[in-house]
Amino acid sequence: MKIIFLGFLIFLLVILFYLDDNILSYSEEKEIDEIVIRSEMFKIEEYVSGLQLPVMIDFIDGHVLVIEKDGYVRIIKNGVLVSDPVLQLEVSNTIEEGLVGILIKNNDVFIHHTTKNLEDDSTSNWFTKYRWDGSTLRDPVELLSFHNGNGMHNSGIMIEAENGIVYGAIGDTGNEDGLFQNVPSGTNNYTGSIISLEAPMEVYAIGIRNTYGLDFDPITGVLWDTENGPESFDEVNLVQEKFNSGWNIIQGPSTNKQEIPVIDEYEYSDPEFSWEWPIGVTAIHFIESPLFPEYHNSVLVGSFHDGILYKFELNERRDGFIFFDERLRDL
């Protein structure tokens, strides 16, 4: 399983914090040049400098590909950032637009970026596959595209399943009110979904408002995601196949599940955890490595607003979390 999420945490978050024994975070005084480490197991070292708005990384041929929000794909070789990009794209670039996703599968490099329609100022999302020739990205193949967005809720994260299928997440693109936003009479343009990027098209989940985090549990094989809410309720979800996350009917824990319409065979379930006051939840990542045995029964979740990385302890069934504070037991 590709481990792009660890890079996503390193470059986008750069800071950490536990729910119990907490790892590290920005200082509480919001002094962004100070990192607070809450575990003796961690230390901070600069790996490379000179990047502009790095968003995500993945690994190829022993090197690191980094995407920058402004449209550049850069490569780090032997710990040195190469000055010339391996790919440059013209992108739209508001707060949630730009070059927003990368995933590498063998020598195929999947890219997700946004562009602006100058006639009506709408946003398009593009999922494209490139071939890595050892030095550049070439031979682009358009996989999926989504149009008429307002610049928000583009998502960006992609993931490869054990069977080799690559899935991409696309939010509601800011202004959609379609079938997969739980509007039975709405048009199905596939926004608000976790969807396979190559034929045959398979929609894994619907009702997705916006997500920056996907990862498969390496033990159970079950997908998890994070989801950004509006003014209330960011989520961590267990995403069984044919999952309905509930947007735009419900965000956070439901008070009446009967409100969720029946959309094909997709089934709603409540989040495994919610932040009532949104934290800007980002990446989610399981670590199953002999280098880090202490994390085998936990999952790391990042946040943007305060630059915190949380550690959640998994229960015995690995379908929810164990909390040591009574105030968290309501999920």
Side-chain angles (χ1 to χ4, degrees):
M1 191 68 60
K2 296 291 185 182
I3 310 179
I4 63 173
F5 303 95
L6 185 57
F8 185 59
L9 296 170
I10 293 170
F11 279 102
L12 182 60
L13 305 173
V14 199
I15 29 17
L16 314 160
F17 171 73
Y18 267 41
L19 279 174
D20 294 281
D21 287 322
N22 315 309
I23 311 181
L24 59 126
S25 73
Y26 281 127
S27 67
E28 280 73 7
E29 294 79 14
K30 303 296 194 304
E31 296 177 6
I32 62 173
D33 59 344
E34 180 182 348
I35 297 175
V36 177
I37 302 175
R38 301 180 182 270
S39 171
E40 293 181 356
M41 297 177 53
F42 281 83
K43 63 180 181 179
I44 304 299
E45 293 182 349
E46 181 179 281
Y47 178 61
V48 72
S49 61
L51 291 161
Q52 300 296 320
L53 295 175
V55 175
M56 195 178 298
I57 73 174
D58 206 347
F59 305 90
I60 194 165
D61 293 344
H63 307 306
V64 182
L65 290 187
V66 188
I67 59 171
E68 296 178 321
K69 190 173 180 292
D70 290 341
Y72 296 93
V73 182
R74 311 285 298 277
I75 189 167
I76 301 170
K77 292 185 175 182
N78 302 316
V80 177
L81 178 66
V82 177
S83 58
D84 293 332
V86 298
L87 180 70
Q88 180 179 352
L89 297 171
E90 294 293 329
V91 300
S92 53
N93 195 14
T94 62
I95 186 170
E96 293 188 20
E97 295 178 279
L99 179 49
V100 293
I102 184 171
L103 180 137
I104 296 171
K105 175 186 174 183
N106 301 321
N107 282 327
D108 290 332
V109 179
F110 295 78
I111 296 290
H112 179 187
H113 77 286
T114 66
T115 60
K116 187 71 71 178
N117 184 329
L118 298 180
E119 294 181 359
D120 60 9
D121 204 39
S122 65
T123 296
S124 292
N125 280 263
W126 307 87
F127 289 88
T128 308
K129 181 173 68 175
Y130 291 82
R131 181 172 62 85
W132 173 251
D133 67 3
S135 59
T136 60
L137 297 176
R138 56 190 306 165
D139 305 330
V141 177
E142 181 184 322
L143 302 175
L144 288 176
S145 59
F146 302 86
H147 307 284
N148 301 314
N150 72 359
M152 305 295 283
H153 307 170
N154 304 298
S155 188
I157 194 71
M158 295 172 280
I159 193 167
E160 180 185 351
E162 288 186 356
N163 59 8
I165 295 176
V166 175
Y167 293 93
I170 181 74
D172 66 9
T173 65
N175 60 4
E176 287 295 337
D177 212 18
L179 181 65
F180 287 175
Q181 283 79 52
N182 285 292
V183 179
S185 61
T187 301
N188 184 9
N189 63 1
Y190 295 96
T191 59
S193 71
I194 299 170
I195 187 170
S196 58
L197 297 185
E198 298 179 282
M201 182 179 292
E202 174 186 334
V203 179
Y204 200 97
I206 68 170
I208 308 295
R209 183 179 186 271
N210 197 34
T211 175
Y212 298 115
L214 294 174
D215 202 9
F216 284 99
D217 184 329
I219 303 300
T220 66
V222 176
L223 184 65
W224 291 70
D225 83 351
T226 64
E227 192 166 343
N228 291 103
E231 66 278 356
S232 60
F233 290 120
D234 283 353
E235 301 178 347
V236 179
N237 291 292
L238 183 69
V239 184
Q240 300 282 1
E241 195 165 0
K242 302 302 179 182
F243 169 68
N244 184 346
S245 194
W247 182 255
N248 58 18
I249 304 298
I250 290 175
Q251 186 74 19
S254 62
T255 55
N256 183 7
K257 295 182 182 180
Q258 300 302 317
E259 297 176 356
I260 302 294
V262 177
I263 305 293
D264 297 334
E265 65 271 43
Y266 296 91
E267 294 186 11
Y268 171 81
S269 65
D270 273 344
E272 276 51 59
F273 188 79
S274 301
W275 289 267
E276 186 170 4
W277 186 259
I279 63 166
V281 64
T282 56
I284 183 168
H285 184 64
F286 292 85
I287 297 177
E288 186 68 21
S289 165
L291 297 176
F292 303 100
E294 63 278 6
Y295 298 121
H296 286 184
N297 295 313
S298 60
V299 63
L300 304 184
V301 176
S303 69
F304 178 77
H305 291 172
D306 292 308
I308 293 172
L309 182 62
Y310 298 90
K311 173 176 172 283
F312 288 87
E313 293 290 339
L314 293 159
N315 64 23
E316 187 174 353
R317 297 185 305 274
R318 299 178 72 91
D319 62 359
F321 302 125
I322 299 171
F323 297 110
F324 303 97
D325 188 318
E326 291 291 339
R327 293 170 295 179
L328 298 175
R329 290 187 182 275
D330 64 353
L331 306 184

